[in-house]
Amino acid sequence: SLSCRLYCEEEKDPKRRSCQTVLAEALDIVVRSFAPILPYLAEEVFQHLPYKKDSEGVFRTGWINASSAWKKPGIEEAIEGACAMRDSFLGSISGKNALEHEVVIVIEPGLLFELMEALQAEETSSVSQLNEIMMASQTTLLSELPKETPADANITKGTFLINLEGGDIREESSYKVIALPVAKAKCPRCRRYTSPSPGTPCPRCLAVLAGKGGR
């Protein structure tokens, strides 16, 4: 989540800085878009941006000019696919706290699996983009159902249609989402259930705190 990246990661960590970059770009576009109808508000916001060096004002710096670097093939489909799996996961736990669960996502080898790998390179992670979208304490990405999966496991099945290159690439893939109760303790800093013992920060938070001198 945004709050976890902004408040839990080390100050100059790329994950935190990339989140700030996205928020700054989004705010810039929103301010420029409503400037013609709310000029005074837009100008006031623009003049108080802490990272803006240009003092000419919102009306002298041009219209919206989003960089083409933001358009990356497959990213939109990856996010939409992950959100579809998140909906399956949240629906399967019936309003319970998502952080009190671990998620196992099973996708057969193919395009959808590759898109999810772009969001989580490791097999299991508590800090990946995929896990942030899933809103769980930990997410595991597999290509086949684990042999040790209990017979009464909470398994939700779904499909997702991938549409790339203007429809030239279309592939419908099936997936399974398994919701499991967490096996670890709650981290007092990030509030995810990724700590080896109660009252002890998780490995990620311990590393960040060590870099901050224990703060």
mmCIF file of all heavy atoms in Angstrom, residues 108-161:
data_model
loop_
_atom_site.group_PDB
_atom_site.id
_atom_site.type_symbol
_atom_site.label_atom_id
_atom_site.label_comp_id
_atom_site.label_asym_id
_atom_site.label_seq_id
_atom_site.Cartn_x
_atom_site.Cartn_y
_atom_site.Cartn_z
ATOM 1 N N GLU A 108 -0.926 -21.386 -14.045
ATOM 2 C CA GLU A 108 -0.158 -22.234 -14.941
ATOM 3 C C GLU A 108 0.808 -21.383 -15.767
ATOM 4 O O GLU A 108 0.520 -20.214 -16.046
ATOM 5 C CB GLU A 108 -1.095 -23.017 -15.869
ATOM 6 C CG GLU A 108 -1.944 -24.055 -15.145
ATOM 7 C CD GLU A 108 -2.789 -24.868 -16.119
ATOM 8 O OE1 GLU A 108 -2.718 -24.589 -17.336
ATOM 9 O OE2 GLU A 108 -3.510 -25.771 -15.665
ATOM 10 N N PRO A 109 1.969 -21.942 -16.144
ATOM 11 C CA PRO A 109 2.940 -21.173 -16.930
ATOM 12 C C PRO A 109 2.291 -20.566 -18.179
ATOM 13 O O PRO A 109 1.552 -21.233 -18.899
ATOM 14 C CB PRO A 109 3.987 -22.211 -17.303
ATOM 15 C CG PRO A 109 3.910 -23.236 -16.201
ATOM 16 C CD PRO A 109 2.452 -23.298 -15.834
ATOM 17 N N GLY A 110 2.556 -19.313 -18.418
ATOM 18 C CA GLY A 110 1.948 -18.608 -19.547
ATOM 19 C C GLY A 110 2.092 -17.110 -19.363
ATOM 20 O O GLY A 110 2.831 -16.626 -18.503
ATOM 21 N N LEU A 111 1.348 -16.346 -20.152
ATOM 22 C CA LEU A 111 1.474 -14.899 -20.152
ATOM 23 C C LEU A 111 1.056 -14.273 -18.825
ATOM 24 O O LEU A 111 1.708 -13.360 -18.322
ATOM 25 C CB LEU A 111 0.645 -14.309 -21.302
ATOM 26 C CG LEU A 111 0.789 -12.814 -21.567
ATOM 27 C CD1 LEU A 111 2.251 -12.426 -21.743
ATOM 28 C CD2 LEU A 111 -0.018 -12.419 -22.802
ATOM 29 N N LEU A 112 -0.035 -14.754 -18.234
ATOM 30 C CA LEU A 112 -0.498 -14.187 -16.967
ATOM 31 C C LEU A 112 0.533 -14.406 -15.867
ATOM 32 O O LEU A 112 0.793 -13.500 -15.061
ATOM 33 C CB LEU A 112 -1.845 -14.799 -16.562
ATOM 34 C CG LEU A 112 -2.469 -14.256 -15.267
ATOM 35 C CD1 LEU A 112 -2.697 -12.757 -15.364
ATOM 36 C CD2 LEU A 112 -3.779 -14.975 -14.962
ATOM 37 N N PHE A 113 1.131 -15.587 -15.831
ATOM 38 C CA PHE A 113 2.166 -15.863 -14.832
ATOM 39 C C PHE A 113 3.347 -14.918 -15.018
ATOM 40 O O PHE A 113 3.895 -14.389 -14.041
ATOM 41 C CB PHE A 113 2.632 -17.316 -14.927
ATOM 42 C CG PHE A 113 3.573 -17.730 -13.828
ATOM 43 C CD1 PHE A 113 3.077 -18.191 -12.628
ATOM 44 C CD2 PHE A 113 4.947 -17.632 -13.995
ATOM 45 C CE1 PHE A 113 3.940 -18.572 -11.596
ATOM 46 C CE2 PHE A 113 5.816 -17.996 -12.975
ATOM 47 C CZ PHE A 113 5.306 -18.470 -11.773
ATOM 48 N N GLU A 114 3.734 -14.664 -16.258
ATOM 49 C CA GLU A 114 4.845 -13.763 -16.541
ATOM 50 C C GLU A 114 4.527 -12.333 -16.115
ATOM 51 O O GLU A 114 5.394 -11.614 -15.597
ATOM 52 C CB GLU A 114 5.194 -13.806 -18.032
ATOM 53 C CG GLU A 114 5.756 -15.148 -18.491
ATOM 54 C CD GLU A 114 5.950 -15.214 -19.993
ATOM 55 O OE1 GLU A 114 5.751 -14.164 -20.655
ATOM 56 O OE2 GLU A 114 6.312 -16.281 -20.508
ATOM 57 N N LEU A 115 3.273 -11.917 -16.310
ATOM 58 C CA LEU A 115 2.874 -10.577 -15.880
ATOM 59 C C LEU A 115 2.938 -10.449 -14.365
ATOM 60 O O LEU A 115 3.353 -9.415 -13.834
ATOM 61 C CB LEU A 115 1.461 -10.261 -16.377
ATOM 62 C CG LEU A 115 1.301 -10.051 -17.884
ATOM 63 C CD1 LEU A 115 -0.168 -9.855 -18.237
ATOM 64 C CD2 LEU A 115 2.123 -8.857 -18.364
ATOM 65 N N MET A 116 2.540 -11.503 -13.654
ATOM 66 C CA MET A 116 2.601 -11.459 -12.196
ATOM 67 C C MET A 116 4.050 -11.486 -11.712
ATOM 68 O O MET A 116 4.386 -10.871 -10.691
ATOM 69 C CB MET A 116 1.827 -12.635 -11.584
ATOM 70 C CG MET A 116 0.321 -12.580 -11.805
ATOM 71 S SD MET A 116 -0.440 -11.033 -11.235
ATOM 72 C CE MET A 116 -0.744 -10.224 -12.812
ATOM 73 N N GLU A 117 4.911 -12.165 -12.444
ATOM 74 C CA GLU A 117 6.330 -12.174 -12.081
ATOM 75 C C GLU A 117 6.942 -10.782 -12.194
ATOM 76 O O GLU A 117 7.908 -10.462 -11.489
ATOM 77 C CB GLU A 117 7.099 -13.141 -12.973
ATOM 78 C CG GLU A 117 6.983 -14.600 -12.567
ATOM 79 C CD GLU A 117 7.927 -15.481 -13.346
ATOM 80 O OE1 GLU A 117 8.015 -15.313 -14.582
ATOM 81 O OE2 GLU A 117 8.584 -16.330 -12.731
ATOM 82 N N ALA A 118 6.381 -9.948 -13.071
ATOM 83 C CA ALA A 118 6.862 -8.569 -13.182
ATOM 84 C C ALA A 118 6.551 -7.775 -11.915
ATOM 85 O O ALA A 118 7.233 -6.795 -11.605
ATOM 86 C CB ALA A 118 6.230 -7.889 -14.400
ATOM 87 N N LEU A 119 5.530 -8.219 -11.166
ATOM 88 C CA LEU A 119 5.153 -7.557 -9.919
ATOM 89 C C LEU A 119 5.783 -8.216 -8.703
ATOM 90 O O LEU A 119 5.822 -7.622 -7.628
ATOM 91 C CB LEU A 119 3.624 -7.562 -9.758
ATOM 92 C CG LEU A 119 2.818 -6.875 -10.858
ATOM 93 C CD1 LEU A 119 1.324 -7.023 -10.594
ATOM 94 C CD2 LEU A 119 3.197 -5.401 -10.965
ATOM 95 N N GLN A 120 6.252 -9.441 -8.875
ATOM 96 C CA GLN A 120 6.912 -10.144 -7.769
ATOM 97 C C GLN A 120 7.912 -11.139 -8.332
ATOM 98 O O GLN A 120 7.545 -12.209 -8.801
ATOM 99 C CB GLN A 120 5.884 -10.860 -6.883
ATOM 100 C CG GLN A 120 6.515 -11.647 -5.730
ATOM 101 C CD GLN A 120 5.518 -12.141 -4.712
ATOM 102 O OE1 GLN A 120 4.808 -11.352 -4.098
ATOM 103 N NE2 GLN A 120 5.432 -13.456 -4.512
ATOM 104 N N ALA A 121 9.188 -10.790 -8.268
ATOM 105 C CA ALA A 121 10.229 -11.650 -8.829
ATOM 106 C C ALA A 121 10.485 -12.868 -7.948
ATOM 107 O O ALA A 121 10.811 -13.948 -8.444
ATOM 108 C CB ALA A 121 11.511 -10.848 -9.013
ATOM 109 N N GLU A 122 10.329 -12.685 -6.607
ATOM 110 C CA GLU A 122 10.572 -13.785 -5.685
ATOM 111 C C GLU A 122 9.340 -14.686 -5.615
ATOM 112 O O GLU A 122 8.227 -14.257 -5.877
ATOM 113 C CB GLU A 122 10.880 -13.254 -4.284
ATOM 114 C CG GLU A 122 11.956 -12.195 -4.228
ATOM 115 C CD GLU A 122 11.405 -10.795 -4.411
ATOM 116 O OE1 GLU A 122 10.220 -10.664 -4.784
ATOM 117 O OE2 GLU A 122 12.163 -9.835 -4.205
ATOM 118 N N GLU A 123 9.553 -15.925 -5.228
ATOM 119 C CA GLU A 123 8.412 -16.839 -5.070
ATOM 120 C C GLU A 123 7.501 -16.372 -3.947
ATOM 121 O O GLU A 123 6.279 -16.370 -4.088
ATOM 122 C CB GLU A 123 8.912 -18.259 -4.792
ATOM 123 C CG GLU A 123 7.796 -19.282 -4.663
ATOM 124 C CD GLU A 123 8.303 -20.693 -4.477
ATOM 125 O OE1 GLU A 123 8.772 -21.294 -5.484
ATOM 126 O OE2 GLU A 123 8.241 -21.205 -3.337
ATOM 127 N N THR A 124 8.085 -15.948 -2.842
ATOM 128 C CA THR A 124 7.322 -15.467 -1.692
ATOM 129 C C THR A 124 7.858 -14.116 -1.252
ATOM 130 O O THR A 124 9.080 -13.929 -1.159
ATOM 131 C CB THR A 124 7.418 -16.463 -0.518
ATOM 132 O OG1 THR A 124 6.872 -17.724 -0.926
ATOM 133 C CG2 THR A 124 6.631 -15.964 0.694
ATOM 134 N N SER A 125 6.956 -13.174 -0.987
ATOM 135 C CA SER A 125 7.391 -11.843 -0.574
ATOM 136 C C SER A 125 6.313 -11.160 0.263
ATOM 137 O O SER A 125 5.120 -11.391 0.074
ATOM 138 C CB SER A 125 7.715 -10.973 -1.797
ATOM 139 O OG SER A 125 8.065 -9.659 -1.409
ATOM 140 N N SER A 126 6.773 -10.310 1.176
ATOM 141 C CA SER A 126 5.855 -9.480 1.962
ATOM 142 C C SER A 126 5.971 -8.011 1.570
ATOM 143 O O SER A 126 5.233 -7.177 2.099
ATOM 144 C CB SER A 126 6.151 -9.637 3.461
ATOM 145 O OG SER A 126 7.468 -9.203 3.756
ATOM 146 N N VAL A 127 6.885 -7.692 0.650
ATOM 147 C CA VAL A 127 7.122 -6.291 0.285
ATOM 148 C C VAL A 127 7.025 -6.041 -1.222
ATOM 149 O O VAL A 127 7.304 -4.948 -1.682
ATOM 150 C CB VAL A 127 8.503 -5.816 0.799
ATOM 151 C CG1 VAL A 127 8.562 -5.851 2.317
ATOM 152 C CG2 VAL A 127 9.625 -6.658 0.203
ATOM 153 N N SER A 128 6.621 -7.039 -1.988
ATOM 154 C CA SER A 128 6.540 -6.876 -3.438
ATOM 155 C C SER A 128 5.333 -6.035 -3.835
ATOM 156 O O SER A 128 4.411 -5.818 -3.049
ATOM 157 C CB SER A 128 6.439 -8.246 -4.121
ATOM 158 O OG SER A 128 5.186 -8.851 -3.810
ATOM 159 N N GLN A 129 5.336 -5.562 -5.081
ATOM 160 C CA GLN A 129 4.181 -4.835 -5.599
ATOM 161 C C GLN A 129 2.943 -5.716 -5.606
ATOM 162 O O GLN A 129 1.832 -5.243 -5.319
ATOM 163 C CB GLN A 129 4.478 -4.335 -7.011
ATOM 164 C CG GLN A 129 5.591 -3.307 -7.099
ATOM 165 C CD GLN A 129 5.830 -2.832 -8.518
ATOM 166 O OE1 GLN A 129 4.994 -2.158 -9.116
ATOM 167 N NE2 GLN A 129 6.981 -3.195 -9.065
ATOM 168 N N LEU A 130 3.124 -6.996 -5.929
ATOM 169 C CA LEU A 130 1.988 -7.914 -5.955
ATOM 170 C C LEU A 130 1.378 -8.053 -4.566
ATOM 171 O O LEU A 130 0.148 -8.017 -4.403
ATOM 172 C CB LEU A 130 2.424 -9.288 -6.479
ATOM 173 C CG LEU A 130 1.339 -10.368 -6.554
ATOM 174 C CD1 LEU A 130 0.182 -9.922 -7.439
ATOM 175 C CD2 LEU A 130 1.924 -11.686 -7.061
ATOM 176 N N ASN A 131 2.212 -8.180 -3.547
ATOM 177 C CA ASN A 131 1.680 -8.316 -2.191
ATOM 178 C C ASN A 131 0.999 -7.036 -1.728
ATOM 179 O O ASN A 131 -0.003 -7.084 -1.013
ATOM 180 C CB ASN A 131 2.799 -8.683 -1.217
ATOM 181 C CG ASN A 131 2.258 -9.015 0.162
ATOM 182 O OD1 ASN A 131 1.546 -10.000 0.350
ATOM 183 N ND2 ASN A 131 2.568 -8.173 1.142
ATOM 184 N N GLU A 132 1.520 -5.885 -2.136
ATOM 185 C CA GLU A 132 0.875 -4.625 -1.785
ATOM 186 C C GLU A 132 -0.526 -4.552 -2.383
ATOM 187 O O GLU A 132 -1.467 -4.083 -1.747
ATOM 188 C CB GLU A 132 1.719 -3.447 -2.274
ATOM 189 C CG GLU A 132 3.000 -3.255 -1.481
ATOM 190 C CD GLU A 132 3.782 -2.055 -1.957
ATOM 191 O OE1 GLU A 132 3.392 -1.445 -2.966
ATOM 192 O OE2 GLU A 132 4.800 -1.723 -1.329
ATOM 193 N N ILE A 133 -0.661 -5.030 -3.621
ATOM 194 C CA ILE A 133 -1.975 -5.019 -4.264
ATOM 195 C C ILE A 133 -2.913 -6.008 -3.572
ATOM 196 O O ILE A 133 -4.086 -5.710 -3.345
ATOM 197 C CB ILE A 133 -1.845 -5.357 -5.761
ATOM 198 C CG1 ILE A 133 -1.101 -4.238 -6.487
ATOM 199 C CG2 ILE A 133 -3.223 -5.562 -6.405
ATOM 200 C CD1 ILE A 133 -0.738 -4.559 -7.915
ATOM 201 N N MET A 134 -2.391 -7.169 -3.215
ATOM 202 C CA MET A 134 -3.218 -8.188 -2.571
ATOM 203 C C MET A 134 -3.646 -7.768 -1.166
ATOM 204 O O MET A 134 -4.627 -8.273 -0.636
ATOM 205 C CB MET A 134 -2.459 -9.518 -2.490
ATOM 206 C CG MET A 134 -2.117 -10.128 -3.851
ATOM 207 S SD MET A 134 -3.551 -10.410 -4.906
ATOM 208 C CE MET A 134 -4.396 -11.680 -3.992
ATOM 209 N N MET A 135 -2.889 -6.846 -0.537
ATOM 210 C CA MET A 135 -3.209 -6.322 0.805
ATOM 211 C C MET A 135 -3.046 -7.372 1.901
ATOM 212 O O MET A 135 -3.590 -7.240 3.001
ATOM 213 C CB MET A 135 -4.632 -5.740 0.834
ATOM 214 C CG MET A 135 -4.851 -4.609 -0.154
ATOM 215 S SD MET A 135 -6.590 -4.154 -0.402
ATOM 216 C CE MET A 135 -7.095 -3.722 1.256
ATOM 217 N N ALA A 136 -2.300 -8.427 1.619
ATOM 218 C CA ALA A 136 -2.070 -9.490 2.604
ATOM 219 C C ALA A 136 -0.739 -9.259 3.309
ATOM 220 O O ALA A 136 0.006 -8.341 2.982
ATOM 221 C CB ALA A 136 -2.080 -10.850 1.911
ATOM 222 N N SER A 137 -0.432 -10.109 4.282
ATOM 223 C CA SER A 137 0.861 -10.002 4.948
ATOM 224 C C SER A 137 1.964 -10.630 4.116
ATOM 225 O O SER A 137 3.126 -10.233 4.211
ATOM 226 C CB SER A 137 0.806 -10.669 6.337
ATOM 227 O OG SER A 137 0.247 -9.783 7.288
ATOM 228 N N GLN A 138 1.597 -11.593 3.293
ATOM 229 C CA GLN A 138 2.598 -12.277 2.475
ATOM 230 C C GLN A 138 1.915 -12.919 1.277
ATOM 231 O O GLN A 138 0.791 -13.416 1.381
ATOM 232 C CB GLN A 138 3.314 -13.338 3.312
ATOM 233 C CG GLN A 138 4.374 -14.141 2.577
ATOM 234 C CD GLN A 138 5.111 -15.077 3.518
ATOM 235 O OE1 GLN A 138 5.951 -14.668 4.311
ATOM 236 N NE2 GLN A 138 4.778 -16.360 3.456
ATOM 237 N N THR A 139 2.591 -12.893 0.128
ATOM 238 C CA THR A 139 2.045 -13.497 -1.086
ATOM 239 C C THR A 139 3.055 -14.456 -1.689
ATOM 240 O O THR A 139 4.241 -14.137 -1.797
ATOM 241 C CB THR A 139 1.690 -12.419 -2.132
ATOM 242 O OG1 THR A 139 0.657 -11.583 -1.609
ATOM 243 C CG2 THR A 139 1.203 -13.053 -3.428
ATOM 244 N N THR A 140 2.566 -15.625 -2.063
ATOM 245 C CA THR A 140 3.398 -16.632 -2.726
ATOM 246 C C THR A 140 2.850 -16.872 -4.123
ATOM 247 O O THR A 140 1.642 -17.083 -4.288
ATOM 248 C CB THR A 140 3.409 -17.952 -1.934
ATOM 249 O OG1 THR A 140 3.969 -17.710 -0.620
ATOM 250 C CG2 THR A 140 4.245 -19.009 -2.638
ATOM 251 N N LEU A 141 3.714 -16.836 -5.124
ATOM 252 C CA LEU A 141 3.328 -17.037 -6.522
ATOM 253 C C LEU A 141 3.899 -18.357 -7.021
ATOM 254 O O LEU A 141 5.117 -18.551 -7.045
ATOM 255 C CB LEU A 141 3.844 -15.873 -7.378
ATOM 256 C CG LEU A 141 3.547 -15.920 -8.874
ATOM 257 C CD1 LEU A 141 2.048 -15.871 -9.129
ATOM 258 C CD2 LEU A 141 4.240 -14.754 -9.589
ATOM 259 N N LEU A 142 3.000 -19.275 -7.411
ATOM 260 C CA LEU A 142 3.412 -20.611 -7.839
ATOM 261 C C LEU A 142 2.779 -20.966 -9.184
ATOM 262 O O LEU A 142 1.775 -20.385 -9.586
ATOM 263 C CB LEU A 142 2.995 -21.661 -6.801
ATOM 264 C CG LEU A 142 3.553 -21.495 -5.379
ATOM 265 C CD1 LEU A 142 2.892 -22.514 -4.455
ATOM 266 C CD2 LEU A 142 5.058 -21.643 -5.364
ATOM 267 N N SER A 143 3.382 -21.943 -9.853
ATOM 268 C CA SER A 143 2.850 -22.404 -11.135
ATOM 269 C C SER A 143 2.034 -23.690 -10.994
ATOM 270 O O SER A 143 1.439 -24.161 -11.968
ATOM 271 C CB SER A 143 4.000 -22.633 -12.139
ATOM 272 O OG SER A 143 4.920 -23.586 -11.636
ATOM 273 N N GLU A 144 2.026 -24.253 -9.805
ATOM 274 C CA GLU A 144 1.198 -25.441 -9.556
ATOM 275 C C GLU A 144 0.804 -25.486 -8.095
ATOM 276 O O GLU A 144 1.483 -24.914 -7.229
ATOM 277 C CB GLU A 144 1.933 -26.727 -9.956
ATOM 278 C CG GLU A 144 3.243 -26.947 -9.242
ATOM 279 C CD GLU A 144 3.946 -28.218 -9.710
ATOM 280 O OE1 GLU A 144 3.598 -28.737 -10.783
ATOM 281 O OE2 GLU A 144 4.845 -28.691 -8.976
ATOM 282 N N LEU A 145 -0.300 -26.159 -7.820
ATOM 283 C CA LEU A 145 -0.831 -26.246 -6.473
ATOM 284 C C LEU A 145 0.137 -27.007 -5.569
ATOM 285 O O LEU A 145 0.602 -28.087 -5.938
ATOM 286 C CB LEU A 145 -2.194 -26.953 -6.491
ATOM 287 C CG LEU A 145 -3.111 -26.753 -5.279
ATOM 288 C CD1 LEU A 145 -3.582 -25.304 -5.219
ATOM 289 C CD2 LEU A 145 -4.308 -27.684 -5.385
ATOM 290 N N PRO A 146 0.485 -26.473 -4.402
ATOM 291 C CA PRO A 146 1.404 -27.177 -3.497
ATOM 292 C C PRO A 146 0.842 -28.535 -3.079
ATOM 293 O O PRO A 146 -0.349 -28.673 -2.825
ATOM 294 C CB PRO A 146 1.515 -26.226 -2.294
ATOM 295 C CG PRO A 146 1.089 -24.890 -2.797
ATOM 296 C CD PRO A 146 0.071 -25.162 -3.866
ATOM 297 N N LYS A 147 1.700 -29.532 -2.986
ATOM 298 C CA LYS A 147 1.264 -30.871 -2.620
ATOM 299 C C LYS A 147 0.719 -30.916 -1.201
ATOM 300 O O LYS A 147 -0.131 -31.743 -0.875
ATOM 301 C CB LYS A 147 2.423 -31.852 -2.772
ATOM 302 C CG LYS A 147 2.883 -32.037 -4.219
ATOM 303 C CD LYS A 147 4.027 -33.033 -4.317
ATOM 304 C CE LYS A 147 4.478 -33.208 -5.759
ATOM 305 N NZ LYS A 147 5.622 -34.154 -5.869
ATOM 306 N N GLU A 148 1.215 -30.014 -0.333
ATOM 307 C CA GLU A 148 0.789 -30.039 1.068
ATOM 308 C C GLU A 148 -0.484 -29.231 1.316
ATOM 309 O O GLU A 148 -0.873 -29.021 2.470
ATOM 310 C CB GLU A 148 1.905 -29.502 1.975
ATOM 311 C CG GLU A 148 2.265 -28.037 1.751
ATOM 312 C CD GLU A 148 3.304 -27.838 0.657
ATOM 313 O OE1 GLU A 148 3.532 -28.791 -0.117
ATOM 314 O OE2 GLU A 148 3.860 -26.730 0.581
ATOM 315 N N THR A 149 -1.156 -28.795 0.252
ATOM 316 C CA THR A 149 -2.384 -28.018 0.412
ATOM 317 C C THR A 149 -3.456 -28.867 1.099
ATOM 318 O O THR A 149 -3.780 -29.960 0.640
ATOM 319 C CB THR A 149 -2.926 -27.549 -0.947
ATOM 320 O OG1 THR A 149 -1.907 -26.781 -1.609
ATOM 321 C CG2 THR A 149 -4.167 -26.688 -0.771
ATOM 322 N N PRO A 150 -4.023 -28.398 2.211
ATOM 323 C CA PRO A 150 -5.052 -29.174 2.918
ATOM 324 C C PRO A 150 -6.288 -29.392 2.044
ATOM 325 O O PRO A 150 -6.609 -28.574 1.170
ATOM 326 C CB PRO A 150 -5.387 -28.298 4.125
ATOM 327 C CG PRO A 150 -4.216 -27.375 4.282
ATOM 328 C CD PRO A 150 -3.691 -27.149 2.904
ATOM 329 N N ALA A 151 -6.981 -30.460 2.282
ATOM 330 C CA ALA A 151 -8.170 -30.778 1.492
ATOM 331 C C ALA A 151 -9.270 -29.744 1.693
ATOM 332 O O ALA A 151 -10.087 -29.504 0.804
ATOM 333 C CB ALA A 151 -8.671 -32.175 1.855
ATOM 334 N N ASP A 152 -9.300 -29.122 2.893
ATOM 335 C CA ASP A 152 -10.336 -28.133 3.187
ATOM 336 C C ASP A 152 -9.836 -26.689 3.009
ATOM 337 O O ASP A 152 -10.405 -25.754 3.580
ATOM 338 C CB ASP A 152 -10.868 -28.321 4.609
ATOM 339 C CG ASP A 152 -9.750 -28.176 5.651
ATOM 340 O OD1 ASP A 152 -8.562 -28.180 5.261
ATOM 341 O OD2 ASP A 152 -10.071 -28.050 6.850
ATOM 342 N N ALA A 153 -8.768 -26.517 2.247
ATOM 343 C CA ALA A 153 -8.193 -25.187 2.050
ATOM 344 C C ALA A 153 -9.189 -24.255 1.363
ATOM 345 O O ALA A 153 -10.016 -24.685 0.551
ATOM 346 C CB ALA A 153 -6.916 -25.285 1.222
ATOM 347 N N ASN A 154 -9.102 -22.975 1.705
ATOM 348 C CA ASN A 154 -9.989 -21.951 1.138
ATOM 349 C C ASN A 154 -9.451 -21.545 -0.237
ATOM 350 O O ASN A 154 -8.640 -20.626 -0.360
ATOM 351 C CB ASN A 154 -10.050 -20.746 2.082
ATOM 352 C CG ASN A 154 -11.054 -19.698 1.621
ATOM 353 O OD1 ASN A 154 -11.714 -19.850 0.602
ATOM 354 N ND2 ASN A 154 -11.150 -18.614 2.377
ATOM 355 N N ILE A 155 -9.915 -22.246 -1.278
ATOM 356 C CA ILE A 155 -9.419 -22.021 -2.636
ATOM 357 C C ILE A 155 -10.508 -21.362 -3.484
ATOM 358 O O ILE A 155 -11.630 -21.846 -3.555
ATOM 359 C CB ILE A 155 -8.980 -23.343 -3.303
ATOM 360 C CG1 ILE A 155 -7.885 -24.024 -2.462
ATOM 361 C CG2 ILE A 155 -8.477 -23.079 -4.720
ATOM 362 C CD1 ILE A 155 -7.441 -25.361 -3.016
ATOM 363 N N THR A 156 -10.152 -20.258 -4.114
ATOM 364 C CA THR A 156 -11.070 -19.559 -5.015
ATOM 365 C C THR A 156 -10.489 -19.603 -6.421
ATOM 366 O O THR A 156 -9.307 -19.296 -6.620
ATOM 367 C CB THR A 156 -11.260 -18.093 -4.588
ATOM 368 O OG1 THR A 156 -11.726 -18.052 -3.239
ATOM 369 C CG2 THR A 156 -12.261 -17.386 -5.494
ATOM 370 N N LYS A 157 -11.321 -19.981 -7.387
ATOM 371 C CA LYS A 157 -10.864 -20.072 -8.770
ATOM 372 C C LYS A 157 -11.398 -18.895 -9.586
ATOM 373 O O LYS A 157 -12.461 -18.356 -9.305
ATOM 374 C CB LYS A 157 -11.320 -21.389 -9.402
ATOM 375 C CG LYS A 157 -10.785 -22.636 -8.702
ATOM 376 C CD LYS A 157 -11.296 -23.899 -9.365
ATOM 377 C CE LYS A 157 -10.775 -25.141 -8.661
ATOM 378 N NZ LYS A 157 -11.262 -26.395 -9.297
ATOM 379 N N GLY A 158 -10.629 -18.505 -10.593
ATOM 380 C CA GLY A 158 -11.054 -17.412 -11.459
ATOM 381 C C GLY A 158 -10.330 -17.442 -12.783
ATOM 382 O O GLY A 158 -9.414 -18.246 -13.000
ATOM 383 N N THR A 159 -10.746 -16.575 -13.695
ATOM 384 C CA THR A 159 -10.087 -16.441 -15.000
ATOM 385 C C THR A 159 -9.852 -14.967 -15.283
ATOM 386 O O THR A 159 -10.568 -14.092 -14.777
ATOM 387 C CB THR A 159 -10.927 -17.052 -16.127
ATOM 388 O OG1 THR A 159 -12.202 -16.379 -16.188
ATOM 389 C CG2 THR A 159 -11.149 -18.536 -15.912
ATOM 390 N N PHE A 160 -8.861 -14.691 -16.111
ATOM 391 C CA PHE A 160 -8.563 -13.319 -16.499
ATOM 392 C C PHE A 160 -8.173 -13.295 -17.975
ATOM 393 O O PHE A 160 -7.336 -14.081 -18.419
ATOM 394 C CB PHE A 160 -7.441 -12.737 -15.644
ATOM 395 C CG PHE A 160 -7.117 -11.308 -15.985
ATOM 396 C CD1 PHE A 160 -7.972 -10.280 -15.597
ATOM 397 C CD2 PHE A 160 -5.978 -10.995 -16.700
ATOM 398 C CE1 PHE A 160 -7.688 -8.962 -15.913
ATOM 399 C CE2 PHE A 160 -5.674 -9.679 -17.014
ATOM 400 C CZ PHE A 160 -6.532 -8.656 -16.625
ATOM 401 N N LEU A 161 -8.788 -12.384 -18.722
ATOM 402 C CA LEU A 161 -8.520 -12.254 -20.148
ATOM 403 C C LEU A 161 -7.477 -11.174 -20.380
ATOM 404 O O LEU A 161 -7.681 -10.015 -20.034
ATOM 405 C CB LEU A 161 -9.798 -11.912 -20.909
ATOM 406 C CG LEU A 161 -9.641 -11.686 -22.425
ATOM 407 C CD1 LEU A 161 -9.139 -12.960 -23.109
ATOM 408 C CD2 LEU A 161 -10.960 -11.223 -23.036
#
